[in-house]
Coordinates of all heavy atoms in Angstrom, one line a residue:
Q13 N -78.4 -186.1 -37.9 CA -79.8 -186.3 -37.9 C -80.5 -185.3 -37.1 O -80.3 -185.2 -35.9 CB -80.1 -187.7 -37.4 CG -79.5 -188.8 -38.2 CD -79.6 -190.2 -37.6 OE1 -79.6 -190.3 -36.4 NE2 -79.8 -191.2 -38.4
G14 N -81.3 -184.5 -37.7 CA -82.0 -183.5 -37.0 C -81.1 -182.3 -36.6 O -80.0 -182.2 -37.1
D15 N -81.6 -181.5 -35.7 CA -80.9 -180.3 -35.2 C -79.9 -180.8 -34.1 O -80.4 -181.2 -33.0 CB -81.9 -179.3 -34.7 CG -81.2 -178.0 -34.3 OD1 -80.0 -178.0 -34.1 OD2 -82.0 -177.0 -34.1
S16 N -78.6 -180.6 -34.3 CA -77.7 -181.1 -33.3 C -77.7 -180.3 -32.0 O -77.3 -180.7 -30.9 CB -76.3 -181.1 -33.8 OG -75.9 -179.7 -34.2
S17 N -78.3 -179.1 -32.0 CA -78.4 -178.3 -30.8 C -79.5 -178.8 -29.8 O -79.5 -178.4 -28.7 CB -78.8 -176.8 -31.1 OG -80.1 -176.7 -31.6
C18 N -80.2 -179.8 -30.2 CA -81.2 -180.5 -29.3 C -80.5 -181.4 -28.3 O -81.1 -181.7 -27.3 CB -82.2 -181.3 -30.1 SG -83.2 -180.4 -31.2
W19 N -79.3 -181.8 -28.6 CA -78.8 -182.9 -27.8 C -77.8 -182.4 -26.7 O -76.6 -182.4 -26.9 CB -78.1 -183.9 -28.7 CG -79.0 -184.3 -29.9 CD1 -78.6 -184.2 -31.2 CD2 -80.3 -184.7 -29.9 NE1 -79.7 -184.6 -32.0 CE2 -80.8 -184.9 -31.2 CE3 -81.2 -184.9 -28.8 CZ2 -82.1 -185.2 -31.5 CZ3 -82.5 -185.3 -29.2 CH2 -82.9 -185.4 -30.5
V20 N -78.4 -182.0 -25.6 CA -77.7 -181.5 -24.4 C -78.4 -182.1 -23.2 O -79.5 -182.6 -23.2 CB -77.7 -180.0 -24.3 CG1 -77.0 -179.3 -25.5 CG2 -79.1 -179.4 -24.3
D21 N -77.7 -182.0 -22.1 CA -78.2 -182.4 -20.7 C -78.8 -183.8 -20.7 O -79.9 -184.0 -20.2 CB -79.3 -181.4 -20.3 CG -78.7 -180.0 -20.1 OD1 -77.5 -179.9 -19.7 OD2 -79.5 -179.0 -20.2
G22 N -78.2 -184.8 -21.3 CA -78.6 -186.2 -21.3 C -79.6 -186.5 -22.4 O -80.0 -187.7 -22.5
F23 N -80.0 -185.6 -23.2 CA -80.8 -185.9 -24.4 C -79.9 -186.3 -25.5 O -78.8 -185.8 -25.7 CB -81.6 -184.7 -24.8 CG -82.7 -184.2 -23.8 CD1 -82.4 -183.4 -22.8 CD2 -84.0 -184.7 -23.9 CE1 -83.3 -183.0 -21.8 CE2 -84.9 -184.4 -23.0 CZ -84.6 -183.5 -22.0
S24 N -80.4 -187.3 -26.3 CA -79.6 -187.7 -27.5 C -80.6 -188.2 -28.5 O -81.8 -188.4 -28.2 CB -78.7 -188.9 -27.1 OG -79.5 -190.1 -26.8
W25 N -80.1 -188.3 -29.8 CA -81.0 -188.8 -30.8 C -81.6 -190.1 -30.5 O -82.8 -190.4 -30.6 CB -80.2 -188.8 -32.2 CG -81.1 -189.1 -33.3 CD1 -81.7 -188.2 -34.2 CD2 -81.6 -190.4 -33.8 NE1 -82.5 -188.8 -35.1 CE2 -82.4 -190.2 -34.9 CE3 -81.4 -191.7 -33.4 CZ2 -83.1 -191.2 -35.6 CZ3 -82.0 -192.7 -34.1 CH2 -82.8 -192.5 -35.2
A26 N -80.7 -191.0 -30.0 CA -81.2 -192.4 -29.7 C -82.2 -192.4 -28.6 O -83.2 -193.2 -28.6 CB -80.0 -193.2 -29.3
A27 N -82.0 -191.5 -27.6 CA -83.0 -191.5 -26.4 C -84.3 -190.9 -26.8 O -85.3 -191.1 -26.2 CB -82.3 -190.8 -25.3
C28 N -84.3 -190.0 -27.8 CA -85.5 -189.2 -28.1 C -86.2 -189.6 -29.5 O -87.4 -189.5 -29.6 CB -85.2 -187.7 -28.1 SG -84.7 -187.1 -26.5
C29 N -85.4 -190.0 -30.5 CA -85.9 -190.2 -31.8 C -86.0 -191.6 -32.2 O -86.7 -191.9 -33.2 CB -85.0 -189.5 -32.8 SG -84.9 -187.7 -32.5
H30 N -85.4 -192.5 -31.5 CA -85.4 -194.0 -31.9 C -86.8 -194.5 -32.1 O -87.7 -194.1 -31.3 CB -84.7 -194.8 -30.8 CG -84.5 -196.2 -31.2 ND1 -85.4 -197.2 -30.9 CD2 -83.4 -196.8 -31.8 CE1 -84.9 -198.3 -31.4 NE2 -83.7 -198.1 -31.9
S31 N -87.0 -195.2 -33.2 CA -88.3 -195.7 -33.5 C -88.9 -196.6 -32.4 O -90.1 -196.9 -32.4 CB -88.3 -196.5 -34.9 OG -87.4 -197.6 -34.8
G32 N -88.1 -197.2 -31.6 CA -88.6 -198.0 -30.5 C -89.5 -197.2 -29.5 O -90.2 -197.8 -28.7
H33 N -89.4 -195.9 -29.6 CA -90.2 -195.0 -28.7 C -91.6 -194.7 -29.4 O -92.4 -194.0 -28.8 CB -89.5 -193.7 -28.4 CG -88.2 -193.9 -27.6 ND1 -88.2 -194.4 -26.3 CD2 -87.0 -193.6 -28.0 CE1 -87.0 -194.5 -25.9 NE2 -86.2 -194.0 -26.9
G34 N -91.8 -195.2 -30.6 CA -93.0 -194.9 -31.3 C -92.7 -194.0 -32.5 O -91.6 -193.5 -32.7
P35 N -93.8 -193.7 -33.3 CA -93.6 -193.0 -34.5 C -93.2 -191.5 -34.3 O -92.6 -190.9 -35.2 CB -94.9 -193.1 -35.2 CG -95.9 -193.4 -34.1 CD -95.1 -194.2 -33.1
R36 N -93.4 -191.0 -33.1 CA -93.0 -189.6 -32.9 C -91.9 -189.5 -31.8 O -91.8 -188.5 -31.2 CB -94.2 -188.8 -32.5 CG -95.4 -188.9 -33.4 CD -95.9 -187.7 -34.1 NE -95.5 -186.4 -33.7 CZ -94.9 -185.5 -34.4 NH1 -94.6 -185.8 -35.7 NH2 -94.6 -184.3 -34.0
G37 N -91.2 -190.6 -31.6 CA -90.1 -190.6 -30.7 C -90.6 -190.6 -29.2 O -91.7 -190.9 -28.9
N38 N -89.7 -190.3 -28.3 CA -90.0 -190.3 -26.9 C -90.7 -189.0 -26.5 O -90.0 -187.9 -26.5 CB -88.6 -190.4 -26.1 CG -88.8 -190.5 -24.6 OD1 -89.9 -190.3 -24.1 ND2 -87.8 -191.0 -24.0
S39 N -91.9 -189.0 -26.1 CA -92.7 -187.8 -25.8 C -92.1 -187.0 -24.7 O -92.4 -185.8 -24.5 CB -94.2 -188.2 -25.6 OG -94.3 -189.0 -24.4
A40 N -91.4 -187.6 -23.8 CA -90.8 -186.9 -22.6 C -89.7 -185.9 -23.1 O -89.3 -185.1 -22.3 CB -90.2 -187.9 -21.7
C41 N -89.3 -186.0 -24.4 CA -88.2 -185.2 -24.9 C -88.7 -183.8 -25.5 O -88.0 -182.9 -25.6 CB -87.4 -185.9 -26.0 SG -86.5 -187.3 -25.5
W42 N -90.0 -183.8 -25.7 CA -90.5 -182.6 -26.5 C -91.2 -181.6 -25.7 O -92.0 -181.9 -24.7 CB -91.5 -183.1 -27.6 CG -90.9 -184.3 -28.3 CD1 -91.6 -185.5 -28.6 CD2 -89.6 -184.5 -28.9 NE1 -90.8 -186.4 -29.2 CE2 -89.6 -185.8 -29.4 CE3 -88.5 -183.7 -28.9 CZ2 -88.4 -186.3 -30.0 CZ3 -87.3 -184.3 -29.5 CH2 -87.3 -185.5 -30.1
D43 N -91.0 -180.3 -26.1 CA -91.8 -179.2 -25.5 C -92.0 -178.2 -26.6 O -91.9 -178.5 -27.8 CB -91.0 -178.6 -24.3 CG -89.7 -178.0 -24.6 OD1 -89.4 -177.8 -25.8 OD2 -88.9 -177.7 -23.6
G44 N -92.3 -176.9 -26.2 CA -92.5 -175.9 -27.2 C -91.3 -175.6 -28.1 O -91.5 -175.3 -29.3
S45 N -90.1 -175.7 -27.6 CA -88.9 -175.4 -28.4 C -88.3 -176.6 -29.1 O -87.8 -176.6 -30.2 CB -87.9 -174.7 -27.5 OG -88.3 -173.6 -27.0
F46 N -88.3 -177.7 -28.4 CA -87.7 -178.9 -28.9 C -88.8 -179.9 -29.3 O -89.6 -180.4 -28.5 CB -86.9 -179.6 -27.8 CG -85.7 -178.8 -27.3 CD1 -85.8 -178.0 -26.2 CD2 -84.6 -178.7 -28.1 CE1 -84.8 -177.2 -25.8 CE2 -83.5 -177.9 -27.7 CZ -83.6 -177.2 -26.5
T47 N -88.9 -180.0 -30.6 CA -90.0 -180.8 -31.2 C -89.4 -182.0 -32.0 O -88.2 -182.0 -32.3 CB -90.8 -180.0 -32.2 OG1 -90.0 -179.6 -33.3 CG2 -91.4 -178.8 -31.5
F48 N -90.2 -183.0 -32.2 CA -89.8 -184.1 -33.0 C -89.3 -183.7 -34.4 O -88.3 -184.1 -34.8 CB -91.0 -185.2 -33.1 CG -90.6 -186.3 -34.0 CD1 -89.9 -187.4 -33.5 CD2 -91.0 -186.4 -35.3 CE1 -89.6 -188.5 -34.3 CE2 -90.6 -187.4 -36.1 CZ -89.9 -188.5 -35.6
E49 N -90.1 -182.8 -35.0 CA -89.7 -182.4 -36.3 C -88.4 -181.7 -36.4 O -87.5 -182.0 -37.2 CB -90.8 -181.4 -36.9 CG -92.1 -182.1 -37.2 CD -92.9 -182.4 -36.0 OE1 -92.7 -181.9 -34.9 OE2 -93.9 -183.2 -36.2
R50 N -88.1 -180.8 -35.4 CA -86.9 -180.1 -35.4 C -85.7 -181.0 -35.0 O -84.6 -181.0 -35.7 CB -87.0 -178.9 -34.4 CG -85.6 -178.3 -34.1 CD -85.7 -177.2 -33.0 NE -84.4 -176.9 -32.6 CZ -84.1 -176.4 -31.4 NH1 -85.1 -176.1 -30.6 NH2 -82.9 -176.1 -31.1
C51 N -85.8 -181.8 -34.0 CA -84.7 -182.5 -33.4 C -84.4 -183.8 -34.1 O -83.3 -184.3 -34.2 CB -84.9 -182.8 -31.9 SG -85.0 -181.2 -31.0
C52 N -85.5 -184.4 -34.7 CA -85.3 -185.8 -35.3 C -85.3 -185.7 -36.8 O -85.0 -186.7 -37.5 CB -86.4 -186.7 -34.9 SG -86.4 -187.0 -33.1
G53 N -85.5 -184.5 -37.4 CA -85.5 -184.4 -38.8 C -86.8 -184.5 -39.5 O -86.9 -184.6 -40.7
G54 N -87.9 -184.4 -38.8 CA -89.2 -184.3 -39.3 C -90.0 -185.5 -39.6 O -90.8 -185.9 -38.9
S55 N -89.7 -186.1 -40.8 CA -90.6 -187.2 -41.2 C -90.5 -188.4 -40.3 O -89.5 -188.9 -39.9 CB -90.1 -187.7 -42.6 OG -90.8 -188.8 -43.0
T56 N -91.7 -189.0 -40.0 CA -91.7 -190.1 -39.1 C -91.5 -191.4 -39.9 O -91.1 -192.4 -39.3 CB -93.1 -190.3 -38.4 OG1 -94.1 -190.4 -39.4 CG2 -93.4 -189.1 -37.5
S57 N -91.7 -191.4 -41.2 CA -91.5 -192.7 -42.0 C -90.1 -192.9 -42.5 O -89.7 -194.0 -42.8 CB -92.5 -192.7 -43.1 OG -92.3 -191.6 -44.0
S58 N -89.3 -191.8 -42.7 CA -88.0 -192.0 -43.4 C -86.9 -192.1 -42.4 O -85.7 -192.1 -42.8 CB -87.8 -190.8 -44.3 OG -87.7 -189.6 -43.6
Q59 N -87.2 -192.1 -41.1 CA -86.1 -192.2 -40.1 C -85.5 -193.6 -40.1 O -86.2 -194.6 -39.9 CB -86.6 -191.8 -38.7 CG -87.0 -190.4 -38.6 CD -85.8 -189.4 -38.8 OE1 -84.7 -189.7 -38.3 NE2 -86.0 -188.4 -39.5
S60 N -84.2 -193.7 -40.3 CA -83.5 -195.0 -40.0 C -82.9 -194.9 -38.6 O -82.1 -194.0 -38.4 CB -82.4 -195.2 -41.1 OG -81.5 -194.2 -41.0
A61 N -83.3 -195.7 -37.8 CA -82.9 -195.7 -36.4 C -81.8 -196.6 -36.1 O -81.7 -197.7 -36.7 CB -84.1 -196.0 -35.5
P62 N -80.9 -196.3 -35.1 CA -79.9 -197.2 -34.7 C -80.6 -198.4 -34.0 O -81.7 -198.4 -33.7 CB -79.1 -196.4 -33.6 CG -79.7 -195.1 -33.5 CD -80.9 -195.0 -34.4
A63 N -79.8 -199.5 -33.9 CA -80.4 -200.8 -33.4 C -80.9 -200.6 -32.0 O -81.9 -201.2 -31.7 CB -79.3 -201.8 -33.4
A64 N -80.3 -199.8 -31.1 CA -80.8 -199.6 -29.8 C -80.4 -198.3 -29.3 O -79.4 -197.7 -29.7 CB -80.2 -200.7 -28.9
P65 N -81.2 -197.7 -28.4 CA -80.9 -196.4 -27.8 C -79.5 -196.5 -27.1 O -79.2 -197.5 -26.4 CB -82.0 -196.1 -26.8 CG -83.1 -197.0 -27.2 CD -82.5 -198.2 -27.9
T66 N -78.7 -195.4 -27.2 CA -77.4 -195.5 -26.6 C -77.4 -194.7 -25.3 O -76.4 -194.8 -24.6 CB -76.3 -194.8 -27.6 OG1 -76.8 -193.4 -27.8 CG2 -76.2 -195.6 -28.8
A67 N -78.4 -194.0 -25.0 CA -78.5 -193.3 -23.7 C -79.9 -193.4 -23.2 O -80.8 -193.5 -23.9 CB -78.1 -191.8 -23.9
A68 N -80.0 -193.3 -21.9 CA -81.3 -193.4 -21.2 C -82.0 -192.1 -21.5 O -81.4 -191.0 -21.6 CB -81.1 -193.6 -19.7
A69 N -83.4 -192.2 -21.5 CA -84.2 -191.0 -21.7 C -84.1 -190.1 -20.4 O -83.7 -190.7 -19.3 CB -85.6 -191.4 -21.9
P70 N -84.3 -188.8 -20.4 CA -84.3 -188.0 -19.2 C -85.2 -188.6 -18.2 O -86.2 -189.2 -18.4 CB -84.8 -186.7 -19.7 CG -84.7 -186.7 -21.2 CD -84.7 -188.1 -21.6
S71 N -84.8 -188.4 -16.9 CA -85.5 -189.0 -15.8 C -86.9 -188.3 -15.6 O -87.7 -188.9 -14.9 CB -84.7 -188.9 -14.5 OG -84.4 -187.5 -14.2
H72 N -87.1 -187.1 -16.1 CA -88.3 -186.5 -15.9 C -88.6 -185.6 -17.1 O -87.7 -185.2 -17.9 CB -88.4 -185.7 -14.6 CG -87.5 -184.5 -14.6 ND1 -86.2 -184.7 -14.2 CD2 -87.6 -183.2 -14.8 CE1 -85.6 -183.5 -14.2 NE2 -86.4 -182.6 -14.6
S73 N -89.9 -185.3 -17.3 CA -90.3 -184.5 -18.5 C -90.1 -183.0 -18.2 O -89.7 -182.5 -17.1 CB -91.8 -184.7 -18.8 OG -92.6 -184.1 -17.8
W74 N -90.3 -182.2 -19.2 CA -90.2 -180.7 -19.1 C -91.2 -180.2 -18.1 O -91.0 -179.2 -17.5 CB -90.3 -180.1 -20.5 CG -91.6 -180.3 -21.2 CD1 -91.9 -181.3 -22.0 CD2 -92.8 -179.5 -21.1 NE1 -93.2 -181.2 -22.4 CE2 -93.8 -180.1 -21.9 CE3 -93.0 -178.3 -20.5 CZ2 -95.0 -179.5 -22.1 CZ3 -94.3 -177.7 -20.6 CH2 -95.3 -178.3 -21.4
V75 N -92.4 -180.9 -18.0 CA -93.4 -180.4 -17.0 C -92.8 -180.5 -15.6 O -93.0 -179.6 -14.8 CB -94.7 -181.3 -17.2 CG1 -95.7 -181.0 -16.1 CG2 -95.3 -181.1 -18.6
A76 N -92.1 -181.6 -15.3 CA -91.6 -181.8 -14.0 C -90.5 -180.7 -13.7 O -90.4 -180.2 -12.6 CB -90.9 -183.2 -13.8
G77 N -89.8 -180.3 -14.7 CA -88.8 -179.2 -14.6 C -89.5 -177.9 -14.2 O -89.0 -177.2 -13.4
I78 N -90.6 -177.6 -14.9 CA -91.3 -176.4 -14.6 C -91.9 -176.4 -13.2 O -91.8 -175.4 -12.4 CB -92.5 -176.2 -15.6 CG1 -91.9 -175.9 -17.0 CG2 -93.4 -175.1 -15.1 CD1 -92.9 -175.8 -18.1
K79 N -92.4 -177.6 -12.8 CA -92.9 -177.7 -11.4 C -91.8 -177.5 -10.4 O -92.0 -176.8 -9.4 CB -93.5 -179.0 -11.2 CG -94.9 -179.2 -11.8 CD -95.4 -180.6 -11.6 CE -96.8 -180.8 -12.3 NZ -97.3 -182.2 -12.1
E80 N -90.6 -178.0 -10.6 CA -89.5 -177.9 -9.7 C -89.1 -176.4 -9.7 O -88.7 -175.9 -8.6 CB -88.3 -178.7 -10.2 CG -88.5 -180.2 -10.0 CD -87.5 -181.1 -10.6 OE1 -86.4 -180.5 -11.0 OE2 -87.6 -182.3 -10.6
A81 N -89.1 -175.7 -10.8 CA -88.6 -174.4 -10.8 C -89.6 -173.4 -10.3 O -89.2 -172.3 -9.8 CB -88.3 -174.0 -12.3
H82 N -90.9 -173.7 -10.3 CA -91.9 -172.7 -9.9 C -92.7 -173.1 -8.7 O -93.7 -172.4 -8.3 CB -92.8 -172.4 -11.1 CG -92.0 -171.8 -12.2 ND1 -91.6 -170.5 -12.3 CD2 -91.6 -172.4 -13.4 CE1 -90.9 -170.3 -13.4 NE2 -91.0 -171.4 -14.1
A83 N -92.4 -174.2 -8.1 CA -93.2 -174.7 -6.9 C -92.6 -174.2 -5.6 O -92.4 -174.9 -4.7 CB -93.3 -176.2 -6.9
T84 N -92.5 -172.8 -5.5 CA -92.0 -172.2 -4.3 C -92.8 -171.0 -3.9 O -93.2 -170.3 -4.8 CB -90.5 -171.8 -4.4 OG1 -90.3 -171.0 -5.5 CG2 -89.6 -173.1 -4.6
L85 N -92.9 -170.8 -2.7 CA -93.6 -169.6 -2.2 C -92.6 -168.4 -2.1 O -91.4 -168.7 -2.2 CB -94.2 -169.9 -0.8 CG -95.3 -170.9 -0.7 CD1 -95.6 -171.3 0.7 CD2 -96.5 -170.4 -1.4
P86 N -93.1 -167.2 -1.9 CA -92.1 -166.1 -1.7 C -91.2 -166.5 -0.5 O -91.6 -167.0 0.5 CB -93.0 -164.9 -1.3 CG -94.3 -165.2 -2.0 CD -94.4 -166.7 -1.9
G87 N -89.9 -166.2 -0.7 CA -88.9 -166.5 0.3 C -88.3 -167.9 0.0 O -87.5 -168.3 0.8
G88 N -88.7 -168.6 -1.0 CA -88.1 -169.8 -1.4 C -88.6 -171.0 -0.6 O -88.1 -172.1 -0.7
V89 N -89.7 -170.9 0.1 CA -90.4 -172.0 0.8 C -91.0 -172.9 -0.2 O -91.9 -172.4 -1.0 CB -91.4 -171.5 1.9 CG1 -92.1 -172.6 2.6 CG2 -90.7 -170.5 2.8
P90 N -90.7 -174.2 -0.2 CA -91.3 -175.1 -1.2 C -92.8 -175.3 -0.9 O -93.2 -175.3 0.2 CB -90.6 -176.4 -1.0 CG -89.9 -176.3 0.3 CD -89.7 -174.9 0.6
I91 N -93.6 -175.4 -2.0 CA -95.0 -175.7 -1.9 C -95.2 -177.2 -1.9 O -94.6 -177.9 -2.7 CB -95.7 -175.1 -3.1 CG1 -95.6 -173.6 -3.2 CG2 -97.2 -175.6 -3.1 CD1 -96.2 -173.0 -4.5
S92 N -95.9 -177.7 -0.9 CA -96.2 -179.1 -0.9 C -97.7 -179.3 -0.7 O -98.4 -178.6 0.0 CB -95.5 -179.8 0.3 OG -96.0 -179.3 1.5
I93 N -98.2 -180.3 -1.4 CA -99.6 -180.6 -1.4 C -99.8 -181.6 -0.3 O -99.0 -182.5 0.0 CB -100.1 -181.2 -2.7 CG1 -99.9 -180.2 -3.8 CG2 -101.5 -181.6 -2.7 CD1 -100.1 -180.7 -5.2
I94 N -100.9 -181.4 0.5 CA -101.2 -182.3 1.6 C -101.5 -183.7 1.0 O -102.3 -183.8 0.1 CB -102.5 -181.8 2.3 CG1 -102.3 -180.5 3.0 CG2 -102.9 -182.9 3.4 CD1 -103.5 -179.9 3.7
P95 N -100.8 -184.7 1.5 CA -101.1 -186.1 1.0 C -102.6 -186.4 1.2 O -103.2 -186.0 2.2 CB -100.2 -187.0 1.9 CG -99.1 -186.0 2.3 CD -99.8 -184.7 2.5
A96 N -103.1 -187.2 0.3 CA -104.5 -187.6 0.4 C -104.9 -188.3 1.7 O -106.0 -188.1 2.3 CB -104.9 -188.5 -0.8
E97 N -104.0 -189.0 2.2 CA -104.2 -189.8 3.5 C -104.5 -188.8 4.6 O -105.3 -189.0 5.5 CB -103.0 -190.7 3.9 CG -102.8 -191.8 2.9 CD -101.9 -191.3 1.7 OE1 -101.3 -190.3 1.8 OE2 -101.9 -192.1 0.7
Y98 N -103.7 -187.7 4.7 CA -103.9 -186.7 5.7 C -105.2 -186.0 5.6 O -105.9 -185.7 6.6 CB -102.8 -185.6 5.7 CG -101.4 -186.2 6.1 CD1 -100.3 -185.5 5.8 CD2 -101.2 -187.4 6.7 CE1 -99.0 -186.0 6.1 CE2 -100.0 -187.9 7.0 CZ -98.9 -187.2 6.7 OH -97.7 -187.7 7.0
A99 N -105.6 -185.6 4.3 CA -106.9 -185.0 4.1 C -108.0 -185.9 4.5 O -109.0 -185.4 5.1 CB -107.0 -184.5 2.6
L100 N -107.9 -187.2 4.2 CA -109.0 -188.1 4.5 C -109.1 -188.3 6.0 O -110.2 -188.3 6.6 CB -108.7 -189.5 3.9 CG -109.8 -190.5 4.1 CD1 -111.2 -190.1 3.6 CD2 -109.4 -191.8 3.4
A101 N -108.0 -188.4 6.7 CA -107.9 -188.5 8.2 C -108.6 -187.3 8.8 O -109.3 -187.4 9.8 CB -106.5 -188.7 8.7
A102 N -108.3 -186.1 8.3 CA -108.8 -184.8 8.9 C -110.4 -184.8 8.6 O -111.1 -184.4 9.5 CB -108.2 -183.6 8.2
L103 N -110.8 -185.2 7.5 CA -112.2 -185.3 7.2 C -113.0 -186.3 8.1 O -114.0 -186.0 8.7 CB -112.5 -185.7 5.7 CG -113.9 -185.7 5.3 CD1 -114.5 -184.3 5.4 CD2 -114.0 -186.2 3.8
L104 N -112.4 -187.4 8.3 CA -113.0 -188.4 9.2 C -113.0 -187.9 10.7 O -113.9 -188.1 11.4 CB -112.2 -189.7 9.1 CG -112.4 -190.5 7.8 CD1 -111.5 -191.7 7.8 CD2 -113.9 -190.9 7.6
A105 N -111.9 -187.2 11.1 CA -111.9 -186.7 12.4 C -113.0 -185.6 12.6 O -113.6 -185.6 13.7 CB -110.5 -186.1 12.7
L106 N -113.2 -184.8 11.6 CA -114.3 -183.8 11.7 C -115.6 -184.4 11.8 O -116.5 -184.0 12.5 CB -114.2 -182.8 10.5 CG -113.2 -181.7 10.6 CD1 -113.1 -181.0 9.2 CD2 -113.6 -180.7 11.7
L107 N -115.8 -185.5 11.0 CA -117.1 -186.2 11.0 C -117.3 -186.9 12.4 O -118.4 -186.8 12.9 CB -117.1 -187.3 9.9 CG -118.4 -188.1 9.8 CD1 -119.6 -187.2 9.5 CD2 -118.2 -189.2 8.7
L108 N -116.3 -187.5 12.9 CA -116.4 -188.1 14.3 C -116.7 -187.0 15.3 O -117.6 -187.2 16.2 CB -115.1 -188.8 14.6 CG -115.1 -189.6 15.9 CD1 -116.2 -190.6 16.0 CD2 -113.7 -190.2 16.2
L109 N -116.1 -185.9 15.2 CA -116.3 -184.8 16.2 C -117.8 -184.3 16.1 O -118.4 -184.1 17.1 CB -115.3 -183.6 15.9 CG -115.4 -182.4 16.8 CD1 -115.1 -182.8 18.3 CD2 -114.5 -181.4 16.4
L110 N -118.3 -184.2 14.8 CA -119.6 -183.8 14.6 C -120.6 -184.8 15.2 O -121.6 -184.4 15.9 CB -119.9 -183.6 13.1 CG -121.3 -183.2 12.7 CD1 -121.6 -181.8 13.2 CD2 -121.5 -183.3 11.2
L111 N -120.3 -186.1 15.0 CA -121.2 -187.1 15.5 C -121.2 -187.1 17.1 O -122.2 -187.4 17.7 CB -120.8 -188.5 15.0 CG -121.2 -188.7 13.5 CD1 -120.6 -190.0 13.0 CD2 -122.7 -188.7 13.3
L112 N -120.0 -186.9 17.6 CA -119.9 -186.9 19.1 C -120.6 -185.7 19.7 O -121.1 -185.8 20.8 CB -118.5 -187.0 19.5 CG -117.8 -188.4 19.2 CD1 -116.3 -188.3 19.6 CD2 -118.5 -189.5 20.0
S113 N -120.5 -184.6 19.1 CA -121.1 -183.4 19.7 C -122.6 -183.2 19.4 O -123.2 -182.5 20.1 CB -120.3 -182.1 19.1 OG -120.5 -182.0 17.7
H114 N -123.1 -184.0 18.4 CA -124.5 -184.0 18.1 C -125.0 -185.4 18.0 O -125.2 -185.9 16.9 CB -124.8 -183.2 16.8 CG -124.4 -181.8 16.8 ND1 -125.1 -180.8 17.5 CD2 -123.3 -181.1 16.3 CE1 -124.5 -179.7 17.4 NE2 -123.4 -179.8 16.6
P115 N -125.3 -186.1 19.1 CA -125.6 -187.5 19.1 C -126.9 -187.8 18.3 O -127.1 -188.9 17.8 CB -125.8 -187.9 20.6 CG -125.6 -186.7 21.4 CD -125.2 -185.6 20.5
E116 N -127.8 -186.8 18.2 CA -129.1 -187.0 17.5 C -128.8 -187.2 16.0 O -129.7 -187.9 15.4 CB -130.0 -185.8 17.7 CG -129.6 -184.5 17.0 CD -128.6 -183.7 17.9 OE1 -128.2 -184.1 19.0 OE2 -128.2 -182.6 17.4
I117 N -127.7 -186.8 15.5 CA -127.4 -187.1 14.1 C -127.2 -188.5 13.8 O -127.6 -189.1 12.8 CB -126.2 -186.2 13.6 CG1 -126.5 -184.8 13.7 CG2 -125.7 -186.6 12.2 CD1 -125.3 -183.9 13.4
G118 N -126.5 -189.2 14.7 CA -126.1 -190.6 14.6 C -127.3 -191.5 14.7 O -127.3 -192.7 14.3
R119 N -128.4 -191.1 15.4 CA -129.6 -191.9 15.6 C -130.5 -192.0 14.4 O -131.4 -192.8 14.4 CB -130.4 -191.4 16.8 CG -129.7 -191.8 18.1 CD -130.5 -191.5 19.3 NE -129.8 -190.4 20.1 CZ -130.3 -189.4 20.7 NH1 -131.6 -189.2 20.7 NH2 -129.5 -188.6 21.4
A120 N -130.4 -191.1 13.5 CA -131.3 -191.0 12.4 C -131.1 -192.2 11.5 O -131.4 -193.1 11.2 CB -131.1 -189.8 11.5

């Protein structure tokens, strides 16, 4: 069923093409090279699916793979985004500092 070269690294017809994932299969399986049409045989209406998926879908999408592969600075240092809680705390600290250093602002 479909292109057998699609089924590597934990991907399988059941995990990606089974009708239980919807008419276009499991969207986490598809990218520019691996498409529903190529891997599952094309037509969404003529697919006869097994009773249940035999393998779990991949744990992350191709987007997560790209992020993992390219989220590093020169020298291999990983890029990390500041958690929102830290950014909010820093903003509140700046506001408090502004209010303490300029008491006339707080009286308005």
